[in-house]
Amino acid sequence: MTNELVGTRIAFLVAPEGVEQVELTAPWQAVQEAGGESVLVSTAPGKIQAFRHLDRADQFDVDETVGQSDPAAFDALVLPGGVANPDFLRSQRDAVRFTRAFFDAGRPVAVVCHGPWTLIDAEVVRGRRITSWPSVRTDLVNAGATWVDEEAVVDTAGPNTLISSRRPDDLKAFCAAIVDHFRPAGDRSRPAGAGLNGVEAARLDADKLR
């Protein structure tokens, strides 16, 4: 174990089913081996069902639900791929808001494969340099991104650091970029509710008082 990410808390946002298992487990393990805390966030409590391409794989326990989770309690966000996973998340208002909050607060985000679909609906890819699974290229370009064919892209020309990769074969480079660019805790310059609109922030504050 190394200590690059000691003190960090990293959110992994996935749908109840459809995430490509290795795109969840490889960066999850990289964060933990670097001393960080990995937290599985989903849209519903219980377990999520991972897949190996089109076949059911393992199930994993959800740590927090996205509707109740505070983005400001995390140092960074990972969005794994799988076709069904981001296609579901992009239709969930809380998931889209949770994702956008990291960009608004200037915190790093890492996304792989089909994962950028969620970023498109969060309206955070315009002007960003990014890669993805090839079939997502046209969607990203239409949303204003600059798409490149590279195994790992680190873009800092925006409000935050955005890390992206194309496919499972790129996971070694993707995980290395995560460890290199996810900042340690202690630089949470914004309070809980950062990046959320006034109504959402008020809801978080009300929840804390219950």
Side-chain angles (χ1 to χ4, degrees):
M1 178 180 285
T2 61
N3 61 5
E4 291 98 325
L5 298 181
V6 167
T8 61
R9 193 165 184 258
I10 312 302
F12 286 72
L13 177 60
V14 300
E17 63 177 2
V19 66
E20 185 70 26
Q21 179 158 314
V22 70
E23 294 174 4
L24 169 63
T25 57
W28 181 285
Q29 183 177 356
V31 166
Q32 293 193 319
E33 289 181 348
E37 178 187 358
S38 302
V39 181
L40 189 61
V41 181
S42 190
T43 58
K47 296 180 180 290
I48 65 101
Q49 176 65 61
F51 279 71
R52 292 187 182 94
H53 191 41
L54 299 178
D55 298 322
R56 288 181 179 270
D58 297 323
Q59 293 185 335
F60 300 91
D61 292 325
V62 173
D63 296 311
E64 298 185 14
T65 57
V66 71
Q68 297 298 319
S69 189
D70 182 358
F74 297 97
D75 297 284
L77 171 67
V78 178
L79 293 168
V83 178
N85 172 51
D87 192 50
F88 176 83
L89 290 177
R90 70 191 302 190
S91 68
Q92 303 300 303
R93 184 175 299 177
D94 283 340
V96 171
R97 288 174 174 170
F98 184 85
T99 299
R100 186 183 176 95
F102 286 83
F103 289 80
D104 290 344
R107 292 179 182 155
V109 172
V111 60
V112 61
C113 202
H114 292 80
W117 271 337
T118 306
L119 300 185
I120 291 171
D121 280 75
E123 299 182 347
V124 294
V125 299
R126 182 169 298 278
R128 305 305 298 265
R129 186 170 179 269
I130 192 170
T131 193
S132 68
W133 186 259
S135 65
V136 185
R137 174 181 180 174
T138 300
D139 295 334
L140 285 166
V141 171
N142 287 341
T146 298
W147 190 90
V148 295
D149 187 14
E150 299 175 12
E151 66 175 359
V153 176
V154 179
D155 178 73
T156 57
N160 67 337
T161 297
L162 176 60
I163 301 165
S164 57
S165 282
R166 303 168 299 188
R167 55 176 64 94
D169 289 346
D170 299 332
L171 282 171
K172 183 176 181 180
F174 182 65
C175 292
I178 285 174
V179 173
D180 285 344
H181 294 280
F182 277 9
R183 65 175 180 262
D187 188 27
R188 294 181 183 148
S189 57
R190 302 194 185 190
L196 303 179
N197 65 36
V199 174
E200 294 164 327
R203 186 189 68 186
L204 285 173
D205 290 340
D207 287 342
K208 292 177 184 297
L209 294 174
R210 289 175 184 171

